[in-house]
Amino acid sequence: MQTERRLLSLVSLLCVFCAATAITSPAQTLTTLVTFDGNNGANPWAPLVQGSDGNFYGTTITGYGNPGGWLFKMTPSGNLTTLYNFCSQPNCADGDQPFAGLIEATDGNFYGTTAEGGASGNCTLRCGTIFKMTPQGTVTTLHSFDYTDGAYPFAGLLPATDGNLYGITSFGGTNGAGTIFRITLSGTLTTIYNFCSQPGCADGEYYFAAVNTSLVQATDGNLYGTTTGGGLDVSNCGSNGCGTVFKITLGGTFSTLYKFCSQSNCTDGYTPQAGLVQATDGNFYGTTTVGGANSVGTVFRISPSGTLTTLHSFNPSTDGYQSYATLLQATDGNLYGTTESGGLSNSGALFKVTPSGTLTTLHLFCSLPQCADGSRPYAGLIQATDGNLYGTTAFGGSFADGTVFRLSGPSPNPLQFVQVTPCRAVDTRPEKGGGGPIQGGSFQNFPISGAGTCPILTSAAAYSMNVSVVPNGDLGYLTVWPAGQPRPLVSTLNSLDGRIKANAAIIPAGTNGEISVYATNTTNVIVDVNGYFAPVSGSTLAFY
């Protein structure tokens, strides 16, 4: 298999420093919230996650005096607290190099991966771990990879609707080409697929670090993702292949949807090193790092059935290029992302692209002396509850060790109400084919567009719905909110006497168009949809 090597040299690091610097772009303002300098961590390669407490949580891959990587918490104003230093145990048994970001699971804890370290010694640098962290910073190793079940998990985890976490390893497994795995919150790991199981690795493989290729669960309940290698083996891509888009069921049934470089001169791009996002139109959007009309990567759209359309070919002379970040669909309906290269001093850029493919560069990094605004944003963006976008740069800042920044949120677009024939998107009752009630003190995410008896709700920004509960007893309260955002401390409805109750609600579409539902006590939930809000097309009544 491929030669294993250390992925990043460790550097000498300095002291804590935080600064706020504003740079004006045509419509949105970038503010540097944190400058890393070693004492507070260094080199964040992963996106942030906003916890249910409203704070942001993230990772750095190194730090002063402890090169194993750090976990941190940051307030929205930029006050940073270091929570945990990896490699704190002998031989880095607790993990090393957390390239991926964190996710918050239904139990309120955060989960993530380290690309190296762990208890297993079947890899030169040990094979990596999966860990759990409490909001206070207590870390527990849930699993150490040993190559037979995968190795070097550079990508992050996905919390799926079955309550388990799913992820990808870049190496190891039966064929040494990486795996897809499922792990319970208590730490039981199951390999559900081994890459390179088809002749010539036509199903894909991970032949080098694919930091941001996390899986996404679509409205059909299946998982979708990309591989950096495999698929077609053509001279343009090298002997490791061009990469693929795939679908896999929660049970492990695998399908290749698209093989990159299927078009002449690879105008469709190849080597996708970022995951996919399912937009409100039901399609998936992503990027490639190579290929396209200018050979430096593309933005593409692909349907659930595998029809791919190239929306934009990056141009090194006019915008950034080589995007390693999963795109974000913001509340204005547009997609936002980062490029690692291009722009000023080849330091990367922030961009916006419409679903039809019109790209606008929002910020070129290294706009300040000594790149004080940051450089090399490998990670994608998140949209927080305040409407602003937050992200990280791996390098730059006053001490060249990376930054955390805020980009002022996009202006809200006017929306029109679209009425639909009432349809049932969610019914958790087992006798109705559901997966069972939401357990008390936990939440679940549910797709709405295309789910149940509902059609695809094109470009839905919010849903008009009727939420019903069928409690097992007294229900303190139920909260419904956009998936991927912190749970608000409000009640959508309650049933203190344990009877069936219902209430109307308008809920914005969250990550992948989903909603989150939290219950204080165990209850079945039914969600019926009677309409949705979408960008204005012809209505004279517009909502903001």
Side-chain angles (χ1 to χ4, degrees), residues 9-44:
S9 299
L10 303 179
V11 294
S12 297
L13 304 164
L14 303 171
C15 58
V16 176
F17 177 77
C18 290
T21 306
I23 301 169
T24 302
S25 64
Q28 295 173 263
T29 301
L30 186 138
T31 302
T32 303
L33 298 174
V34 172
T35 293
F36 291 99
D37 63 1
N39 283 311
N40 58 355
N43 308 126

Side-chain angles (χ1 to χ4, degrees), residues 107-200:
D107 61 0
N109 294 310
F110 296 89
Y111 292 78
T113 62
T114 65
E116 301 167 6
S120 301
N122 294 330
C123 303
T124 301
L125 301 170
R126 298 181 181 259
C127 300
T129 70
I130 300 172
F131 64 86
K132 174 178 73 175
M133 182 189 74
T134 67
Q136 294 75 35
T138 300
V139 169
T140 303
T141 301
L142 296 180
H143 183 78
S144 290
F145 290 97
D146 66 0
Y147 202 87
T148 61
D149 58 357
Y152 303 141
F154 287 96
L157 300 170
L158 166 74
T161 53
D162 63 359
N164 297 310
L165 309 177
Y166 290 78
I168 297 173
T169 65
S170 295
F171 294 94
T174 302
N175 307 307
T179 67
I180 301 176
F181 62 84
R182 173 177 61 240
I183 187 169
T184 66
L185 297 187
S186 61
T188 301
L189 185 136
T190 303
T191 301
I192 65 173
Y193 191 75
N194 288 279
F195 285 107
C196 217
S197 293
Q198 299 176 10

